[in-house]
DNA sequence: TTGACAAGCGGACAATTGTCCGTTAATATT
DNA sequence: AATATTAACGGACAATTGTCCGCTTGTCAA
């Protein structure tokens, strides 16, 4: 090749890998692209790939990191804006943001989830930054609701985990594609089934 | 080898594979045993293995089939016995049976779930008999509850899917091992968080 | 400018999953 | 009993993931 990229060009290489990945993914679909393929297309050895991204899931996660960050910012903004509203309303806003995100990045998200969930040696998804942030956010909302007697007395930590579990990409895609629910219906049903019942009606 | 097993001995071979699998699994752990290893130990070619079990998940599922059947029978029995009780009580019984089952077969169950969930070509878990049975059972209970006005007006099909999703083996093992909840606490919290809120209090 | 050092590249390798096809052996037919 | 038929066995192969180590190539010191 013309340009030998080394030490100093580490950033260039990273960018090149990510760009190549993105292009191959959109061309052939996430599932049909192998790490070797990417390495070859990006003019990089497998070793280099794997030193940077321990597995395909990590690579996808990196690809998504910008999106995750964006979601996180939006979430914090939205919650700040609604600060004075009841917790129930804020939870619904959070749900909507998250499910819209899922809808938008369905395929990539499912791949990430699969690889990270299924690879034995990989750090479990529960220890990844996006999960922790989401869990924390839900947790503090639920705790606030408990304190203010807006919600039933529940274990916030536990509830947050199960809520997230019921919104995982696999089940989401299944509901959307196989069961035929529209994106809007999914949000509505989640709200009716999992959120509203947690809160106490005021009159 | 001494005895050549063929056509007529198909059953023998199946049994031999399953026995070998069980023995290797309990010796080295489910994760550390490969399909080739099993084939070799059972004096069988890979082709034979894969013709019977499309992947490791299917093999595990077969290993568990007896247990699943047993759970199914217990479930039907239990529900029949409680037929006259409120739906809420029956749902709790169902939850307990299922979570006890999860507790007992945690490792194998997680492997099945992983392989079936993650392998692209595999039939998704949602189309497997055990899932369908469980979903159906929950569905009809929820529908009954709706009709009798014991529960809030919810979409039974949707709710059943999300309830099952929140009880998947991964999250269960995480809650038990990493988060430090006891088996009993998990059941209690599930009940408080996901079941009770669905039902309407009578007075 | 030259030599030592170390960061890190990249391809060869091992392990595993899953497929394919030539061969084997059990049953049926005469 | 011999031959044809066909189910199905089993090993060789391809594909993919992830690891390891020799070699390249910058950097720093004298």
């Amino acid at each position: 090749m013309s340009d030998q990229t080394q030490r100093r060009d580490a950033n260039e290489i990273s960018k090149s890998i990510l760009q190549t990945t993105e292009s191959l993914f959109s061309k052939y679909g996430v599932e049909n692209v192998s790490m070797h393929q990417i390495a070859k297309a990006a003019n990089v050895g497998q070793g280099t790939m794997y030193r940077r991204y321990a597995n395909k899931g990590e690579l996808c996660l990196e690809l998504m990191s910008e999106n995750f960050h964006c979601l996180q910012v939006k979430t914090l903004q939205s919650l700040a804006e609604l600060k004075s509203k009841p917790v129930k309303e804020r939870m619904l806003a959070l749900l909507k943001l998250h499910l819209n995100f899922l809808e938008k990045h369905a395929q990539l998200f499912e791949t990430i989830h699969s690889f990270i969930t299924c690879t034995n040696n990989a750090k479990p998804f529960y220890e990844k930054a996006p999960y922790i942030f989401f869990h924390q956010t839900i947790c503090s909302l639920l705790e606030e609701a408990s304190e203010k007697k807006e919600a039933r007395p529940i274990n916030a930590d536990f509830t947050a985990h199960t809520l997230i579990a019921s919104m995982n990409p696999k089940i989401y895609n299944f509901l959307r594609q196989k069961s035929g629910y529209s994106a809007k219906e999914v949000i509505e049903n989640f709200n009716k089934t999992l959120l509203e019942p947690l809160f106490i009606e005021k009159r």
Side-chain angles (χ1 to χ4, degrees), chain A:
Chain A
M1 270 298 100
S2 55
D3 60 331
Q4 286 296 354
T5 47
Q6 231 67 19
R7 268 252 257 308
R8 203 172 28 189
D9 311 11
N11 284 336
E12 308 287 327
I13 284 192
S14 283
K15 262 179 206 164
S16 155
I17 291 177
L18 288 181
Q19 272 173 16
T20 307
T21 304
E22 205 157 9
S23 128
L24 287 178
F25 276 4
S26 68
K27 203 166 173 182
Y28 303 107
V30 179
E31 302 298 337
N32 304 316
V33 177
S34 75
M35 293 290 267
H36 275 51
Q37 227 176 105
I38 298 171
K40 212 171 175 183
N43 280 314
V44 151
Q46 285 85 326
T48 305
M49 286 287 290
Y50 278 97
R51 206 170 325 103
R52 280 157 205 269
Y53 313 103
N55 54 56
K56 204 171 166 180
E58 298 280 340
L59 177 58
C60 293
L61 207 62
E62 188 57 32
L63 258 190
M64 290 275 289
S65 72
E66 207 172 312
N67 295 323
F68 276 127
H69 181 71
C70 180
L71 175 66
Q72 189 164 335
V73 169
K74 266 193 207 167
T75 301
L76 292 174
Q77 265 178 12
S78 173
L79 291 181
E81 277 170 24
L82 301 171
K83 206 164 47 186
S84 56
K85 304 274 183 163
V87 177
K88 190 173 169 182
E89 199 170 317
R90 277 177 275 161
M91 282 289 287
L92 180 58
L94 186 58
L95 175 75
K96 277 184 184 169
L97 277 174
H98 189 77
L99 288 185
N100 282 335
F101 187 77
L102 221 54
E103 176 72 23
K104 199 167 170 184
H105 305 286
Q107 201 196 6
L108 200 54
F109 212 138
E110 186 167 338
T111 304
I112 294 176
H113 200 261
S114 284
F115 267 78
I116 295 188
T117 306
C118 303
T119 312
N120 308 321
N121 47 349
K123 210 171 160 188
F125 195 57
Y126 312 106
E127 293 172 19
K128 294 286 170 187
Y131 186 93
I132 292 174
F133 169 75
F134 196 45
H135 178 265
Q136 273 298 334
T137 308
I138 296 179
C139 246
S140 55
L141 280 177
L142 288 176
E143 273 161 12
E144 187 188 333
S146 276
E147 279 169 23
K148 293 184 178 169
K149 308 286 180 200
E150 292 180 30
R152 291 156 167 267
I154 46 169
N155 179 328
D157 172 72
F158 186 96
T159 307
H161 282 305
T162 54
L163 281 181
I164 299 177
S166 63
M167 282 191 280
N168 73 69
K170 278 280 177 199
I171 185 80
Y172 183 81
N173 286 336
F174 170 73
L175 290 170
R176 286 284 281 110
Q177 285 153 29
K178 299 277 175 70
S179 287
Y181 291 97
S182 73
K184 203 178 160 192
E185 282 171 330
V186 172
I187 292 179
E188 277 168 14
N189 277 307
F190 262 117
N191 186 39
K192 260 196 201 164
T193 304
L194 296 171
L195 294 189
E196 286 200 337
L198 292 178
F199 293 91
I200 297 166
E201 286 122 69
K202 298 217 171 143
R203 69 204 66 184

